[in-house]
């Protein structure tokens, strides 16, 4: 049992390293040009943002529509700090500052709103994100509606790749531990969860805060990759774009979130030559997938090396 | 000696309706007590008041010497009171194993860092939890369906899983709200044996709401009868069967063993 888990974990590590080496190689030989690299980085940042949102929506069952607000906090922390401390240390520090502020904001937003359910919570979180955006819009240090320019670029693709791995490990391991069982129990039946000793407020807040922290990381990377940010980058449509990734991949499936982020990222890039028709094709693709696969591309399916290893064992025995 | 559960003058009022009125009762450690009464008598409401789901309007409840007044349901659960629901409430997207393990979260600590990094302390805790789970699954005859998503289980098995989940929270006292509802005679017989084992093998104190009179008369050591929110009788099965007030409450004597 434990040995198999160790094997599975080693396989995941191997996949991460191979992925890194392969992409690096392709960049080196020129197969991946700056255009494709841009696509890969965007996909990576979207994965970081959407896995956190899927933790909140799919695992803890809290319908949040405010993810872009927490992303904005990370983005502005990095944008502001990098303009005065344009070093790697400044970048790392700015990510940490973003995470801390996002956690504080998530607690302030979460404590009163997580008592609400369904649509009410969606509207409350949407409002909270809007407040964050309006505050940023009216502060001097954030340069108001004009936003920040010429943010030094430290979020190169290897950095993004590494942070995709780190945040995914954190979120997936959180979801598969005592905490994960508690939040999923609350999602399925809050009254029953309380009746077996689970404190709903505490665990819902934990998932919400962790999701917000990873959103801040995504925001930091966004700011230091795109190098330009403005309050309008973090509106309700951006929260919905992340929600689309989660729903399309399958609510509750992290594998699905990966797949959806990749599919939509590629689709978006391929369609860029279609001009204005792009949004129409994009929308039609979404509708088609949702009509034929309402539970998302993967439903609640998760890919697992442990299971593959198990199946192998059985076939060997047979 | 004080009782394990002491309920004193508990009332629950919904708007103008007195669903439970001035109920006082006690349950001793290790006892198997039944709470019966016609539909709408206030049995479930009393359970909800005792477990903090919907707190009593008046009265006091003491469990193991500690007051339960103003305790939240999860705090009541941590103190050692488990329950099942009249309408099954399982974590339907989770497997049977996960349902049981969700009920164990207060039995051990697992810190964020060691669970994220899968440190040896985490692996050790998970092994411990898996051990508890395997044991309960085996004892309740659920090993074969351990990895099945509970929504896909037959009704009778779901009821059994709900009892298993209550046991998983490591309680002293367990409230069962109509565990035999919707079961066929064979399943009811299995259930009767199981409830008896909860008392004898697991050392639990059991309070049972049930309409199936043969099951009640078979199992209960003591019976409380509730009608229109008030207790109208208390006694052994033999006493209750011959109690005039009870016979009247059940419309002229439907109580047969
Ligand atoms: N949340 C509520 N709000 C208002 N009235 C309620 C509420 N819950 C229960 N009642 C009323 O309280 C009374 C007692 O209901 P309760 O469910 O406790 O009965 P019961 O003895 O469990 O009945 P049954 O055997 O049908 O389960 C009923 O008249 C019911 O309509
Ligand atoms: Mg009832």
């Amino acid at each position: 049992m434990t040995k198999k888990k160790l094997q599975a974990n080693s396989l995941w590590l191997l996949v991460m390293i191979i992925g890194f080496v392969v992409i690096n190689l392709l960049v080196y030989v020129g197969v991946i040009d700056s255009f494709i690299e841009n696509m890969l980085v965007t996909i990576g940042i979207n994965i970081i943002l959407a896995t956190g949102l899927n933790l909140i929506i799919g695992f803890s069952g809290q319908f949040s529509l405010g993810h872009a607000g927490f992303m904005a906090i990370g983005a502005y922390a990095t944008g502001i700090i990098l303009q005065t401390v344009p070093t790697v240390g400044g970048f790392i520090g700015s990510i940490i500052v973003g995470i801390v502020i996002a956690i504080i904001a998530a607690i302030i937003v979460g404590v009163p709103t997580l008592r609400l359910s369904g649509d009410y919570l969606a509207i409350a979180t949407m409002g909270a994100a809007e407040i964050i955006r309006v505050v940023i819009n009216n502060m001097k240090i954030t340069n108001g509606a004009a936003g920040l320019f010429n943010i030094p670029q430290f979020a190169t693709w290897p950095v993004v790749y590494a942070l995709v791995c780190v945040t995914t490990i954190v979120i997936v391991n959180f979801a598969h531990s005592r905490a994960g069982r508690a939040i999923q129990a609350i999602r399925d039946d809050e009254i029953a969860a309380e009746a077996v000793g689970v404190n709903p407020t505490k665990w819902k807040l934990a998932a919400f805060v962790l999701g917000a922290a990873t959103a801040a990381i995504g925001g930091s990377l966004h700011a230091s990759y795109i190098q330009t940010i403005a309050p309008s980058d973090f509106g309700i449509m951006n929260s919905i774009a992340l929600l689309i990734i989660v729903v399309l991949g399958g609510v509750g499936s992290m594998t699905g979130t990966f797949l959806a982020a990749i599919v939509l990222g590629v689709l978006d890039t391929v369609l860029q030559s279609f001009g204005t028709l792009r949004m129409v094709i994009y929308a039609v693709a979404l509708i088609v997938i949702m009509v034929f696969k309402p539970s998302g591309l993967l439903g609640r399916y998760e890919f697992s090396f442990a299971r593959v290893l198990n199946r192998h064992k059985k076939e060997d025995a047979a | 000696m004080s009782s394990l559960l002491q309920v004193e003058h508990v009332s629950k009022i919904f708007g103008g309706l007195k669903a439970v009125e001035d109920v006082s009762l006690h349950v001793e450690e290790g006892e198997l007590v039944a709470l019966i009464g016609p539909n709408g008598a206030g049995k479930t409401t009393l359970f909800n008041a005792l477990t903090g789901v919907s707190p009593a309007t008046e009265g006091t409840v003491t469990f193991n010497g500690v007051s339960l007044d103003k305790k939240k349901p999860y705090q009541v659960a941590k103190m050692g009171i488990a329950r099942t629901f009249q309408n099954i409430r399982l974590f339907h997207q989770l497997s049977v194993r996960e349902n049981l393990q969700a009920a164990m979260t207060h039995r051990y600590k697992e810190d964020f860092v060691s669970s994220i990094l899968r440190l040896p302390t985490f692996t050790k805790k998970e092994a411990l939890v898996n051990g508890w789970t395997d044991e309960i699954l085996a004892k309740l005859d659920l090993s074969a369906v351990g990895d099945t998503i509970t929504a896909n289980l037959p009704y009778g098995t779901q009821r059994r899983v709900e009892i298993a989940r209550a046991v998983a929270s490591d309680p002293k006292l367990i409230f069962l709200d109509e565990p035999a509802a919707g079961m066929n005679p064979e399943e009811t017989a299995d259930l009767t044996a199981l409830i008896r084992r909860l008392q004898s093998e697991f050392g639990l104190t059991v309070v049972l709401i049930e309409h199936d009179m043969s099951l009640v008369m078979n199992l209960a050591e003591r019976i409380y009868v509730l009608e229109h929110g008030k207790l109208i009788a208390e006694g052994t099965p033999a006493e209750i069967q011959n109690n005039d007030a009870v016979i009247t409450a059940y419309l002229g004597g439907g109580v047969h063993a």
Side-chain angles (χ1 to χ4, degrees):
Chain A
M1 189 82 184
T2 332
K3 206 176 139 207
K4 203 155 291 147
K5 280 207 179 117
L6 204 68
Q7 272 178 356
N9 288 346
S10 319
L11 271 175
W12 278 119
L13 199 65
L14 200 69
V15 167
M16 290 178 207
I17 293 168
I18 290 175
F20 186 79
V21 171
V22 165
I23 298 178
N24 231 344
L25 220 64
L26 291 179
V27 171
Y28 186 73
V29 298
V31 175
I32 294 182
D33 52 16
S34 66
F35 190 61
I36 297 181
E37 192 183 308
N38 182 35
M39 179 187 86
L40 290 179
V41 168
T42 309
I43 290 173
I45 293 174
N46 279 339
I47 287 175
I48 292 175
L49 291 161
T51 45
L53 185 61
N54 201 355
L55 179 75
I56 298 173
I57 295 181
F59 285 77
S60 83
Q62 307 303 307
F63 193 15
S64 167
L65 264 185
H67 220 53
F70 299 113
M71 183 188 175
I73 291 174
Y76 272 90
T78 292
I80 291 165
I81 291 174
L82 276 190
Q83 286 193 332
T84 36
V85 197
T87 61
V88 175
F91 180 53
I92 296 171
S94 77
I95 294 178
I96 294 169
V97 169
I99 291 174
V100 171
I101 299 176
I103 288 175
I104 294 169
I107 293 172
I108 294 171
V109 172
V111 168
T113 60
L114 289 176
R115 290 165 211 280
L116 304 171
S117 60
D119 311 343
Y120 301 105
L121 178 65
I123 290 168
T125 48
M126 193 175 95
E130 202 55 19
I131 290 171
I132 292 172
R133 202 178 64 80
V134 169
V135 167
I136 290 172
N137 211 352
N138 287 291
M139 286 206 303
K140 258 217 176 73
I141 191 171
T142 57
N143 200 24
L148 302 173
F149 312 92
N150 297 327
I151 301 165
Q153 193 179 57
F154 289 99
T156 53
W157 89 260
V159 173
V160 172
Y161 187 91
L163 282 173
V164 167
C165 294
V166 170
T167 54
T168 305
I169 291 171
V170 169
I171 288 177
V172 170
N173 283 353
F174 180 83
H176 293 96
S177 66
R178 168 169 165 262
R181 293 188 285 266
I183 60 174
Q184 292 182 79
I186 296 166
R187 171 199 65 198
D188 280 3
D189 194 320
E190 188 164 334
I191 291 177
E194 264 198 285
V196 293
V198 173
N199 178 351
T201 317
K202 172 180 143 186
W203 288 114
K204 280 197 265 187
L205 193 62
F208 192 64
V209 163
L210 183 55
T214 53
I217 297 175
S220 290
L221 294 174
H222 172 84
S224 179
Y225 183 75
I226 307 285
Q227 297 179 275
T228 308
I229 50 173
S232 57
D233 298 342
F234 309 101
I236 173 70
M237 284 318 293
N238 300 84
S239 292
I240 290 178
L242 296 170
L243 180 68
I244 288 173
I245 296 176
V246 170
V247 172
L248 189 71
V251 174
S253 164
M254 292 299 175
T255 319
T257 297
F258 264 72
L259 186 66
I262 293 168
V263 167
L264 292 181
V266 171
L267 199 64
D268 200 43
T269 310
V270 170
L271 290 179
Q272 264 167 27
S273 49
F274 285 79
T276 39
L277 213 57
R278 168 169 156 248
M279 281 326 284
V280 177
I281 299 174
Y282 190 82
V284 169
L286 282 181
I287 293 171
V288 168
I289 296 175
M290 288 332 284
V291 165
F292 288 100
K293 204 92 177 43
S295 60
L297 290 172
L298 294 186
R300 285 184 28 85
Y301 170 84
E302 289 294 7
F303 177 76
S304 147
F305 270 126
R307 212 168 36 232
V308 173
L309 289 173
N310 257 331
R311 200 171 306 150
H312 241 74
K313 245 317 184 6
K314 271 181 205 145
E315 276 165 12
D316 284 353
Chain B
M1 262 255 347
S2 63
S3 311
L4 181 65
L5 181 73
Q6 187 85 43
V7 178
E8 274 163 280
H9 307 294
V10 162
S11 298
K12 177 74 195 183
I13 300 166
F14 291 118
L17 176 81
K18 287 190 171 174
V20 173
E21 197 178 344
D22 196 26
V23 167
S24 296
L25 55 82
H26 63 96
V27 178
E28 303 305 317
E29 183 145 13
E31 243 189 332
L32 208 164
V33 176
L35 178 64
I36 65 171
N39 287 327
K43 305 179 296 294
T44 299
T45 304
L46 182 60
F47 267 22
N48 287 341
L50 300 183
T51 52
V53 172
S54 155
T57 320
E58 273 170 58
T60 59
V61 184
T62 316
F63 176 69
N64 222 1
V66 183
S67 166
L68 292 188
D69 306 338
K70 300 206 177 71
K71 287 264 191 301
K72 298 235 170 66
Y74 73 90
Q75 294 169 320
V76 172
K78 284 181 183 181
M79 289 173 64
I81 298 183
R83 68 172 292 180
T84 64
F85 295 88
Q86 184 165 353
N87 309 306
I88 304 176
R89 285 179 174 272
L90 286 172
F91 308 131
H92 56 272
Q93 295 188 52
L94 301 184
S95 70
V96 174
R97 289 192 78 82
E98 290 167 323
N99 265 268
L100 302 198
Q101 292 180 352
M104 296 171 177
T105 59
H106 60 281
R107 296 175 61 185
Y108 62 103
K109 285 260 168 281
E110 205 171 83
D111 69 291
F112 183 73
V113 174
S114 67
S115 66
I116 295 307
L117 298 178
R118 306 271 123 145
L119 297 179
T121 45
F122 169 83
T123 320
K124 229 178 268 170
K125 288 276 166 60
E126 289 293 301
L128 178 75
V129 170
N130 277 317
W132 290 338
T133 312
D134 290 336
E135 190 184 329
I136 296 173
L137 288 175
K139 281 187 178 164
L140 270 75
D141 231 349
L142 289 166
S143 301
V145 293
D147 293 320
T148 309
I149 301 298
T150 51
N152 302 332
L153 290 170
Y155 182 84
T157 315
Q158 290 195 11
R159 284 242 172 248
R160 187 175 275 268
V161 172
E162 214 192 13
I163 294 175
R165 185 181 66 186
V167 170
S169 72
D170 195 25
K172 289 188 187 66
L173 171 67
I174 184 168
F175 287 126
L176 304 174
D177 196 345
E178 299 195 23
M183 284 192 167
N184 62 37
E186 195 183 321
E187 287 170 328
T188 306
D190 285 349
L191 178 76
T192 309
L194 173 61
I195 294 173
R196 214 186 288 280
R197 282 176 60 215
L198 289 180
Q199 186 195 27
S200 60
E201 196 177 319
F202 293 81
L204 296 178
T205 306
V206 182
V207 180
L208 170 76
I209 293 177
E210 191 46 70
H211 284 296
D212 183 329
M213 280 310 140
S214 72
L215 183 141
V216 169
M217 296 303 163
N218 230 322
L219 277 174
E221 296 161 355
R222 216 150 50 78
I223 299 174
Y224 284 103
V225 188
L226 207 58
E227 194 202 9
H228 297 308
K230 290 183 190 151
L231 277 183
I232 56 166
E234 182 228 326
T236 62
E239 287 164 2
I240 293 298
Q241 284 176 71
N242 299 313
N243 184 304
D244 287 340
V246 177
I247 293 167
T248 319
Y250 277 89
L251 294 172
V255 192
H256 294 293

